[in-house]
Amino acid sequence: MLTIHNTLTRKKEEFKPIHPGEVRMYVCGPTVYDYFHIGNARSFIVSDFIRRYLEYKGYKVTFAMNLTDIDDKIIRKANAGNIEAKEVAETFSAAFFEDIAKLKIKKATIYPKATEHIQDIINLIKKLEENGYAYNIDGNVFYNVKKFTTYGKLSGKNTEELESGSRVEINEAKRNPLDFSLWKKAKEGEPYWESPWGAGRPGWHIECSAMSCKHLGETFDIHAGGNDLIFPHHENEIAQSEAATGKKFVNYWLHFGFLNIENEKMSKSLGNFFTARDVLKRYSAEVIRLFFSQTNYAGPLNFSDDLLSGAQKGLEKITNLAEKLDDELKAGRPSGIEIDFDFAKFYADFEAAMDDDFNTSQASAVIFDFVRAVNKVLAENSEAGKRFFEKAKEYLAKTAEGVLGIVDFSSLHGDDSKSLENDLIELLLNLRIEAKKEKNFALSDKIRNELTALGIVLQDGKDKTTYKKVKAE
RNA sequence: GGCGCUGUACCCAAGUGGUUAAGGGGAAGGUCUGCAAAACCUUUAUUCGUCGGUUCGACUCCGACCGGCGCCUCCA
C-alpha cells in the first residue's frame, strides 16, 4: 500500500488515485530565465523518482510540468541583453531540456508553456470574475482573497496574521494586501497579449491553475514542488482553481526540502549556487541521483564536494556489480549451478520502502544490501549459473536503473573502445605482462606508474589486467 | 511574532513503543596480489540534543528547554 505525506493534511495517507490504475501529477517547473541550479535539480529528480515508482507499480502516469516562459525575470533579462523575452525563454528552455536529459530524468508527458495558454488563462480569470473572486482596477486584475474563506488551508496560515505581518508592497491599487495579480497590465516595453481587461500578461500563479486544469482535469491526484512554493504559490493556485470550479483542486500535495550550502538554502538571490550543468561536469547523473536518493525528499540536504564524492564511492559498489553481471552475461555465462537466492525478499523490501512515502533512502539501502548479498554468493560460488546472473541483473534493472536511475546498463562501458589511444594502452599492457613474466618488476611498475600519471589506472586481475581512465583533475 | 521542518556513530543518513538502531562515506583487519591498486569479506552507536512526564517498557508518545533551518516578499 502506497502512502504519501500530504502537506494539506500533514499526515501520511494511503494513496488512492481518482481513476483506477492511472495517476495524474503536476510539478511546478522552471522559470526559463537562466540555467537551473543543482537545488532545482533536486526537485526535478525527486519528482522523477516518484513518477518512475508510480510507473513501476503499474500506474499509467500523466505527468505535466509547466515552463514559465513569461515573467518579470525573463523580461528583465531580455531588456538587459536587448533581446526579445521570447528569445530568452527559448534559449533557457532548450538548456533545461538538455540538462534534464543529462540528469537522466524521464521526460514529462507534457511541458505546457504559459505563453501557449493565454486563452485558457483569460478564460479562467473570466470565470473568477463571474464568480465574484476577481476585480479589475484599471487593467490590473486581482484575486479577492477575502472572498475565498478557506484561504490558508495548505500553508496553515490565517489571513488575519498574514495581514498584520504583511510585507507586501503597499503602493498597489489592491483592496487587500493579500490579493494577488491574475492579470498584469502591460507596461512600456513589455510583451503583452490582448484581453478583456486590455493589453497585459498573466500573473504568476494563474498559469498553473489554467494549465493543470486543461491537461489533468479540474481535480487531479498529485501536485508537487519545492517547500517555498507552499505559500503563496500553491495556496493561490488552490484559491484560483477551487473558486473557479467549485471542486477540490488536488488530492495529494507533496513538498520537497531544499538543497543547502553550509546549512543555508541554495538560491539564486543568495548567490550560493552551482548550476546543474556545472555539477554534471564533475559528477555523473547517477552519482547525483544516488546522493539525492540517500536522504528523504522532504528534509533539507547539504550539498558539498565531500558528500558528492562519498556518493560516488558508494555508487561504484553498485556499478561494479552491474558491470560484472553484464559482462558475464554478454560473454555467455554457462548454465552452471542453480543458486538458491531470495529475490522476492529484495523486491518486497524495495517496494515496502518506496511505498512508505517514497522512502528512497531506505530503498537505496535495500539495493546496497542486495549488492552485498549477490557479491557474497559470487564469492562463494564461482560456478553460479547464468540464471542467477540474469535474475540479479533484472533486479538491478528494475529497481536501481528503472526507479532510481542510479545505474545505466546501456552506458556501463562508455568507452570508445576502438580508438588508437586504447590500442596503444593495450600494447603497453601486453609489454608489461611480458615484463612481469620475466619478473622484471622495475619495468612493469614503471609502466604502471607512468600510465597512472596520465590518468590511466591499472588493475591486475587474476588472468588479465584491466584499466580505467580517470578524469584529469 | 505566526506557520512548518529538524537535532541518531568521525561525516552523511534511514528507522522502530519492547527482539541485533538500516544503508553510504571514512577508519581498522582480512582474502587476493611479485608489490600496489581495485574488488570482495569482516569489524566499527549498551546508544538516538538536554531535562522531565506517560508507560511494565521510549530513541520512538507528551511537555519544557537548548541548538539548526525554512516560509510568511521572487524562489525548487
Side-chain angles (χ1 to χ4, degrees):
Chain A
M1 179 182 91
L2 175 61
T3 57
I4 296 180
H5 178 88
N6 191 348
T7 309
L8 195 58
T9 57
R10 306 218 172 81
K11 279 191 218 118
K12 251 186 222 178
E13 296 174 352
E14 181 181 353
F15 176 68
K16 292 183 191 140
I18 296 165
H19 308 279
E22 200 182 317
V23 180
R24 299 186 186 178
M25 65 184 277
Y26 187 94
V27 176
C28 288
T31 298
V32 283
Y33 73 106
D34 202 350
Y35 300 111
F36 65 85
H37 62 62
I38 191 70
N40 303 120
R42 184 183 185 196
S43 288
F44 303 148
I45 288 174
V46 168
S47 304
D48 193 46
F49 292 154
I50 292 170
R51 181 263 184 89
R52 285 162 174 254
Y53 185 61
L54 290 168
E55 287 179 346
Y56 171 99
K57 290 197 60 104
Y59 289 109
K60 174 180 181 288
V61 178
T62 305
F63 174 26
M65 177 177 275
N66 66 298
L67 297 184
T68 301
D69 61 347
I70 184 68
D71 98 315
D72 290 346
K73 285 180 293 236
I74 294 173
I75 293 169
R76 214 177 301 140
K77 188 136 189 170
N79 289 343
N82 211 17
I83 51 175
E84 296 289 307
K86 200 174 165 166
E87 219 173 301
V88 172
E90 278 169 5
T91 304
F92 291 105
S93 297
F96 166 76
F97 286 117
E98 278 171 34
D99 291 348
I100 61 166
K102 280 190 225 146
L103 289 167
K104 306 204 177 168
I105 293 168
K106 267 188 94 169
K107 283 199 97 171
T109 317
I110 181 165
Y111 291 99
K113 293 178 180 173
T115 59
E116 288 172 5
H117 292 77
I118 300 293
Q119 195 53 51
D120 300 293
I121 291 168
I122 289 172
N123 292 343
L124 179 58
I125 300 174
K126 272 182 171 156
K127 190 85 187 276
L128 288 169
E129 234 180 2
E130 279 163 30
N131 294 358
Y133 287 92
Y135 58 94
N136 173 9
I137 292 183
D138 188 31
N140 283 298
V141 183
F142 297 102
Y143 186 96
N144 182 2
V145 168
K146 273 228 168 85
K147 168 107 184 183
F148 189 71
T149 52
T150 58
Y151 191 79
K153 66 181 170 185
L154 180 70
S155 54
K157 299 183 186 303
N158 76 58
T159 49
E160 309 275 312
E161 278 156 9
L162 278 170
E163 282 174 57
S164 57
S166 174
R167 283 185 275 158
V168 179
E169 63 275 28
I170 39 169
N171 252 347
E172 281 190 46
K174 293 193 284 193
R175 286 184 196 161
N176 181 315
L178 284 180
D179 293 353
F180 54 91
S181 286
L182 295 169
W183 188 261
K184 294 178 166 180
K185 185 178 178 174
K187 292 189 194 120
E188 191 59 37
E190 284 183 0
Y192 62 87
W193 289 263
E194 289 302 333
S195 81
W197 315 280
R201 61 187 165 96
W204 173 40
H205 314 292
I206 195 72
E207 63 172 75
C208 287
S209 285
M211 299 193 295
S212 61
C213 179
K214 177 167 187 182
H215 298 287
L216 303 177
E218 291 181 337
T219 304
F220 57 95
D221 300 295
I222 297 174
H223 192 133
N227 258 327
D228 50 358
L229 295 180
I230 296 174
F231 189 89
H233 186 55
H234 289 162
E235 198 71 72
N236 291 352
E237 281 184 50
I238 292 174
Q240 292 164 347
S241 295
E242 298 192 353
T245 66
K247 293 178 188 158
K248 190 177 184 191
F249 177 41
V250 167
N251 285 339
Y252 303 89
W253 286 92
L254 272 106
H255 290 95
F256 311 139
F258 297 122
L259 195 63
N260 294 336
I261 297 277
E262 313 251 343
N263 291 319
E264 267 198 327
K265 177 179 171 183
M266 178 185 288
S267 75
K268 291 264 166 71
S269 44
L270 287 170
N272 60 346
F273 66 92
F274 303 100
T275 63
R277 50 176 59 196
D278 281 343
V279 176
L280 274 163
K281 285 176 191 157
R282 307 176 46 229
Y283 299 98
S284 70
E286 286 78 12
V287 169
I288 295 168
R289 297 179 65 108
L290 174 65
F291 176 62
F292 288 155
S293 80
Q294 282 183 302
T295 184
N296 185 284
Y297 72 81
L301 173 61
N302 264 312
F303 182 85
S304 77
D305 234 35
D306 281 357
L307 263 11
L308 260 288
S309 32
Q312 184 161 40
K313 278 284 179 63
L315 183 68
E316 280 174 27
K317 268 184 136 116
I318 301 172
T319 314
N320 284 333
L321 177 65
E323 275 179 357
K324 191 188 289 178
L325 296 172
D326 200 47
D327 287 348
E328 288 290 333
L329 286 168
K330 279 185 180 146
R333 181 83 193 171
S335 316
I337 56 169
E338 280 290 316
I339 299 292
D340 183 30
F341 189 88
D342 196 354
F343 286 98
K345 176 194 174 291
F346 286 98
Y347 280 107
D349 286 352
F350 180 80
E351 287 162 26
M354 291 300 286
D355 274 348
D356 181 15
D357 193 30
F358 308 105
N359 189 337
T360 51
S361 178
Q362 190 68 47
S364 65
V366 172
I367 289 172
F368 279 108
D369 283 339
F370 174 81
V371 169
R372 184 157 11 87
V374 170
N375 276 328
K376 195 162 186 174
V377 168
L378 296 181
E380 289 166 2
N381 301 276
S382 56
E383 301 296 303
K386 183 181 174 190
R387 190 83 196 102
F388 177 73
F389 279 75
E390 282 171 349
K391 290 182 107 172
K393 182 183 170 183
E394 185 186 13
Y395 181 85
L396 289 180
K398 284 189 173 160
T399 58
E401 181 177 48
V403 176
L404 298 179
I406 55 177
V407 169
D408 185 349
F409 277 102
S410 67
S411 68
L412 282 180
H413 307 282
D415 264 343
D416 38 319
S417 50
K418 278 179 191 157
S419 72
L420 177 63
E421 179 184 309
N422 287 335
D423 289 345
L424 290 173
I425 294 170
E426 289 292 339
L427 180 66
L428 285 168
L429 292 192
N430 288 336
L431 287 174
R432 181 163 168 273
I433 287 167
E434 307 258 319
K436 279 174 66 175
K437 273 187 190 148
E438 290 158 18
K439 305 237 186 266
N440 184 351
F441 298 123
L443 179 59
S444 75
D445 287 352
K446 187 175 179 189
I447 293 173
R448 182 170 67 198
N449 291 339
E450 302 211 341
L451 283 174
T452 303
L454 293 171
I456 295 157
V457 179
L458 303 194
Q459 289 158 7
D460 289 341
K462 260 223 159 73
D463 36 39
K464 63 178 176 188
T465 296
T466 57
Y467 65 92
K468 216 196 279 196
K469 288 182 198 168
V470 180
K471 279 172 221 146
E473 283 178 307

